[in-house]
Amino acid sequence: MLPVFKKPIVLLRLEGLAVFLLALVIYWQQSFGWTLFWSTVLLPDLALLGYLVNAAVGATAYNVTHSKLLPGALAVIAIVTGNALFLALALIWFVHIGFDRMLGYGLKYPEGFKATHLGTIGKMGGESRGSYLPCGK
């Protein structure tokens, strides 16, 4: 078996790369405007302002805007209604989320910004990851 399949963190980051590339290629293929792309791609990061209140509010705001649920719902609405702007925005949102996951920025735990479902930001060896995983390993 390939070594990559023995490390879930690598698979999760590769999934982020796949989401990033798929959404970006569909966006390009649909000939949506790049001005719209570059002016909105970082909008989900406005949720980081929640950390100015406290870590729990920041984590919740980040998770709401960095889960694939809302852009997925927006994409479904766009397809059902034929709304090209909604589809473009959903794809941009998926690009953002995929890029973040690829870099290791996962959904946040209320303990702090660096505590994510992909492990502790800045730790690649897995040494600090265990305390934040649901299984405790």
Side-chain angles (χ1 to χ4, degrees), residues 69-134:
L69 293 173
L70 290 179
L74 184 60
V76 168
I77 291 167
I79 291 166
V80 169
T81 64
N83 188 315
L85 177 60
F86 284 4
L87 182 58
L89 292 172
L91 289 168
I92 293 166
W93 205 343
F94 278 120
V95 166
H96 179 97
I97 293 169
F99 190 75
D100 274 7
R101 294 292 196 289
M102 179 181 68
L103 294 179
Y105 293 99
L107 298 176
K108 309 298 182 201
Y109 286 97
E111 287 84 0
F113 178 80
K114 290 187 173 189
T116 80
H117 86 286
L118 296 177
T120 303
I121 294 174
K123 304 281 185 180
M124 284 300 295
E127 55 275 356
S128 298
R129 187 166 307 152
S131 64
Y132 297 111
L133 293 179

Side-chain angles (χ1 to χ4, degrees), residues 16-28 91 94-95:
L17 174 63
V19 168
F20 168 74
L21 290 175
L22 180 63
L24 191 61
V25 167
I26 293 170
Y27 188 88
W28 168 75
L91 289 168
F94 278 120
V95 166

